[in-house]
Amino acid sequence: MDREAVLALYDRSMRRDAPPDDPGARVERVGDVVRQVAGEHGWNGVLWSRLDRAGADAAIAEQVRYYASLGRGFEWKLYAHDRPDDLAARLRAAGFVAEAEETLMVAPIGAVSTEAEPPEGVEVRPVADEAGADLVARVHEEVFGTDADRIRRRLLDQLAGLPGTVAAVVAVAGGEPVAAARLEMHPGTPFAGLWGGGTVPAWRGRGLYRALVAVRARIAADRGYRYLQVDATGQSRPILRRLGFVPLTTTTPYVHHG
């Protein structure tokens, strides 16, 4: 895989020309900034920018003013190759707070096995309703230690309003959810994204993460996507490398709480 070419394709199709990823959301281009404006449960933030040193601070200030006028906090999703090279410091000076750095990893669909199965006694179920979304939220809260109500509500919004853009699965053992994951699809682009994959501590090391990647890879392949993309944490990077994913760059969420 030509990493530079795929990164350029990702920047173009998933950032600069990104479609909205939430019912009721809109993507706006203002000067050299592309941002998404979404509702209560959706993602609000800057997807892409092409800034120089002379205009960066003014562009940052304009985004802060704009989202403040809407009464919303927002995220500036900063990639390591974004310019100017001191953009991170400028965001911090403007009141943004950096969250944990992640690695953008990509794999061609054909490079990812779709055959991995869950361990014996575990059933992987598609999520199609409120009961399934509740199970996904339970896994998220146990794995990540954060309130998953917004994720639950956003998943339900997507299933109802944009059903062709999301697929979620939950692994159940003995009637209890033990792992969950989402696949976010962007019609008209070559990328499908892996999000929210997690396994409760008692079930780690048994192949569930790999099985849920395989399930989502099958769905993406059936829908005609060329690449799988994931913002990987340090915990998932080694597994994803073994599954055929290649690191392209790093990304850091810079959050402004308004």
Side-chain angles (χ1 to χ4, degrees):
M1 187 174 73
D2 185 332
R3 295 186 188 188
E4 290 189 7
V6 174
L7 180 58
L9 178 63
Y10 181 87
D11 278 345
R12 183 170 65 252
S13 59
M14 299 297 292
R15 301 182 65 204
R16 189 191 70 190
D17 300 329
D21 67 359
D22 197 69
R26 64 184 185 273
V27 173
E28 303 174 337
R29 181 161 187 164
V30 182
D32 288 323
V33 172
V34 173
R35 65 193 180 201
Q36 176 167 291
V37 182
E40 181 183 1
H41 309 135
W43 183 85
N44 287 274
V46 172
L47 292 157
W48 177 88
S49 65
R50 186 178 58 192
L51 304 176
D52 57 26
R53 290 178 179 273
D57 290 339
I60 293 168
E62 196 281 329
Q63 304 313 311
V64 171
R65 285 193 299 271
Y66 178 73
Y67 283 102
S69 74
L70 301 176
R72 295 173 191 165
F74 72 106
E75 175 184 317
W76 192 300
K77 195 165 176 61
L78 181 68
Y79 290 77
H81 59 289
D82 287 346
R83 296 291 177 266
D85 55 11
D86 64 348
L87 185 52
R90 293 171 185 263
L91 290 170
R92 289 193 296 270
F96 289 79
V97 177
E99 297 189 343
E101 180 184 273
E102 296 177 316
T103 302
L104 172 64
M105 302 184 77
V106 170
I109 287 288
V112 180
S113 172
T114 59
E115 302 302 322
E117 296 295 334
E120 186 176 353
V122 177
E123 178 190 4
V124 176
R125 302 175 182 172
V127 172
D129 55 20
E130 188 169 350
D134 288 344
L135 296 179
V136 171
R138 284 175 57 187
V139 171
H140 186 95
E141 288 177 351
E142 184 169 351
V143 171
F144 301 107
T146 58
D147 182 5
D149 186 61
R150 190 181 71 83
I151 290 172
R152 172 187 172 277
R153 290 169 179 263
R154 185 180 179 208
L155 176 57
L156 289 172
D157 287 348
Q158 289 175 300
L159 288 170
L162 292 172
T165 67
V166 65
V169 291
V170 61
V172 178
E176 291 296 314
V178 296
R182 305 188 312 279
L183 175 72
E184 300 216 349
M185 295 164 283
H186 306 273
T189 80
F191 293 93
L194 304 183
W195 294 93
T199 303
V200 301
W203 280 86
R204 290 175 187 163
R206 306 193 200 185
L208 268 173
Y209 186 91
R210 180 172 55 194
L212 295 189
V213 170
V215 169
R216 290 176 289 169
R218 284 199 295 270
I219 296 170
D222 289 345
R223 303 279 182 92
Y225 287 90
R226 292 169 54 196
Y227 298 101
L228 288 173
Q229 165 264 322
V230 58
D231 290 348
T233 65
Q235 186 175 5
S236 59
R237 272 197 305 270
I239 304 172
L240 290 163
R241 277 185 178 272
R242 292 195 294 271
L243 296 179
F245 286 77
V246 175
L248 298 186
T249 186
T250 59
T251 179
T252 304
Y254 278 80
V255 178
H256 198 284
H257 296 289

